[in-house]
Every structure is written in structure tokens, then in C-alpha cells.
Amino acid sequence: MTDAQRPLPSLDDPDSRPFWEATKNHEIRYQACDECSGVVFYPRSRCTHCLSLKLSWHISRGEGTIYTFSVIRQSRHPAFKDKAPYAVAMVDLDEGVRLLTNIVGVDDPVGEIHIGQRVVVAWEDHEELSVPLFRPA
């Protein structure tokens, strides 16, 4: 029996496809509006600030701060049941993007993670894409 794999996003969605394709090159891409300069994330076809269709893609440095997190002590999903305890976090990237991710690279997520902590991207590679995870800086 093989190990269960993390559920991965579909590349069929035209709005998010450029984001996920860029992860294969270890890039976190986000959109910014060419009209109002608003940062847009998750990827969409319209600006969430002014509804403009003029959005440009930008590349994040992959550095940010933990906004909030929760430690999962038990998971019934086959891909995660042996990883507990693990942390799920909202990370604010320095460019203004907030994303949901996991915090990795810690032995004790309860004692080693805190709100406001600086983190950097760590990649989990898969065949068609890579998943941006974060570790303490």
C-alpha cells in the first residue's frame, strides 16, 4: 500500500492556473490591479477593489508573518493522519497577500509557532505543481 498523497488543486480553473503553474518553478505569484494598485489574492479575473479586468501577475519573495494558526492534533484524512500534530496557518506575505498554508520545520507546533512570527516559503514538490508551505525564518 502506498502512502496517501495530499489533495492537490485542479489546474483546470483558468483564474488560478497561472498561480499553480508558477509553483512548479517555486514562485508564489499574486495579482495586482493596474488601475487601482489593489493586491488581489486568491487569483480571479476581476479586481476585488475596483472590479477592473486589468490585473498583472507579480512574484512574491516568499517571506511573511503568521497572522493566525491552529494546531491539528488528530486528522482522519489518510494524507495527514500520521503528520499530527501539525499547524495550519494564515500567513501574510510581505507583498500584502494572505494565504492558507501549513507551517513545517518544527518538532512542536504548539511551542515553536506564534502569531507574528516571521516565516519563509518551503516547497513540497509534486508532479504537476508544488505546494507553498512555510517554515520559521
Side-chain angles (χ1 to χ4, degrees):
M1 182 174 186
T2 61
D3 291 335
Q5 184 180 5
R6 164 192 301 274
L8 297 174
S10 170
L11 295 176
D12 293 337
D13 176 51
D15 289 339
S16 65
R17 183 182 309 121
F19 172 84
W20 290 112
E21 288 175 343
T23 65
K24 193 65 179 161
N25 297 320
H26 290 180
E27 294 177 345
I28 298 175
R29 292 199 172 198
Y30 65 95
Q31 295 168 297
C33 181
D34 295 337
E35 296 206 6
C36 75
S37 301
V39 173
V40 177
F41 191 85
Y42 60 89
R44 308 163 201 234
S45 59
R46 289 189 176 271
C47 175
T48 53
H49 307 277
C50 73
L51 302 179
S52 171
L53 292 171
K54 298 177 181 176
L55 298 172
S56 298
W57 287 96
H58 302 270
I59 300 172
S60 168
R61 290 190 332 265
E63 300 174 4
T65 304
I66 295 175
Y67 173 76
T68 191
F69 73 98
S70 181
V71 175
I72 309 303
R73 296 179 187 274
Q74 181 179 20
S75 177
R76 299 200 193 296
H77 190 285
F80 301 106
K81 68 178 183 148
D82 294 332
K83 296 184 188 272
Y86 61 92
V88 176
M90 296 294 289
V91 169
D92 288 340
L93 296 180
D94 292 345
E95 294 83 6
V97 172
R98 178 175 290 161
L99 56 90
L100 182 66
T101 185
N102 291 117
I103 305 299
V104 296
V106 296
D107 294 323
D108 174 20
V110 174
E112 296 179 52
I113 297 172
H114 62 273
I115 292 171
Q117 184 174 9
R118 294 290 296 167
V119 290
V120 295
V121 70
W123 295 96
E124 181 181 279
D125 295 326
H126 296 273
E127 187 173 329
E128 292 185 358
L129 56 87
S130 295
V131 177
L133 308 174
F134 286 79
R135 62 175 175 74

